[in-house]
């Protein structure tokens, strides 16, 4: 099962971006969104109509996927995300098709909830990076969000 979760935009200035979304579109984090900072990124989540926009601002000059994207493409859509059941099976199917995934485990976004994710690269034919997040390992608040999503 796949449930749409969010679109991720990489930005250079999260505060400026959130002010523009509030001013121009009236979107604010509210009770289902959040703005928080981690050691290498600041994240802002804006919920709207059964989906979310995630804004991610790198806060270091590390040679990572986020800074490379900003350097090569500038600000813009980095990926969109689906929450998936049967993570191992779904990932195996993609690898069996020869898809070279970038995989990670995140334990910093939701303390106490370590979850796996993988990105399908744009070169696989979808035109943009697609993130797949392990639904069953997400905290209940995120699972409920996914249950409300389109």
């Amino acid at each position: 099962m796949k449930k749409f979760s969010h679109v991720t935009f990489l930005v250079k200035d999260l505060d400026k971006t959130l002010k523009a979304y509030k001013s121009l579109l009236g979107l604010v984090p509210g009770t289902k969104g959040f703005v928080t900072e981690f050691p290498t990124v600041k994240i802002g989540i804006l919920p709207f109509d059964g989906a979310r926009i995630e804004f991610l601002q790198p806060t270091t000059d590390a040679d990572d996927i986020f800074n490379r994207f900003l350097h090569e493409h500038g600000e813009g859509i980095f990926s969109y995300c689906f929450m998936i059941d049967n993570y191992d099976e779904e990932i195996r199917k993609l690898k069996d098709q020869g898809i070279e995934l970038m995989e990670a485990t995140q334990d910093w976004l939701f303390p106490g909830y370590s979850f796996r994710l993988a990105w399908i690269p744009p070169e696989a034919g979808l035109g943009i990076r697609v993130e797949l997040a392990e639904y069953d390992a997400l905290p209940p608040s995120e699972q409920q969000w996914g249950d409300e999503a389109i």
Side-chain angles (χ1 to χ4, degrees):
M1 173 174 34
K2 294 174 183 63
K3 298 175 183 185
F4 182 77
S5 175
H6 62 272
V7 174
T8 299
F9 285 82
L10 286 183
V11 299
K12 294 177 182 175
D13 185 330
L14 179 62
D15 295 331
K16 181 179 173 183
T17 299
L18 292 177
K19 285 178 187 173
Y21 271 77
K22 179 180 180 183
S23 172
L24 299 173
L25 299 174
L27 295 175
V28 296
T31 58
K32 290 190 175 187
F34 61 86
V35 176
T36 192
E37 190 163 348
F38 297 98
T40 61
V41 296
K42 285 172 64 174
I43 296 176
I45 301 288
L46 295 180
F48 69 98
D49 197 27
R52 295 182 285 186
I53 302 173
E54 175 183 81
F55 298 99
L56 192 146
Q57 174 195 331
T59 56
T60 70
D61 291 330
D63 182 24
D64 61 18
I65 191 171
F66 305 124
N67 280 305
R68 282 192 300 273
F69 181 93
L70 275 176
H71 177 72
E72 293 172 16
H73 305 286
E75 294 181 306
I77 297 175
F78 175 75
S79 66
Y80 59 89
C81 177
F82 290 100
M83 297 178 190
I84 59 171
D85 289 333
N86 304 314
Y87 183 87
D88 292 319
E89 180 182 336
E90 293 285 337
I91 297 306
R92 181 189 50 75
K93 285 179 188 177
L94 289 166
K95 288 180 177 180
D96 287 350
Q97 295 178 52
I99 305 298
E100 292 186 31
L101 302 169
M102 181 177 176
E103 296 180 75
T105 299
Q106 280 191 353
D107 52 12
W108 51 268
L109 186 57
F110 304 110
Y113 293 91
S114 180
F115 67 97
R116 296 175 293 172
L117 55 95
W119 287 281
I120 301 171
E123 300 80 24
L126 300 176
I128 191 168
R129 187 175 286 103
V130 177
E131 178 183 340
L132 303 172
E134 183 181 21
Y135 176 83
D136 295 332
L138 293 167
S141 60
E142 285 298 296
Q143 289 181 357
Q144 289 172 348
W145 179 263
D147 292 341
E148 295 173 9
I150 297 171

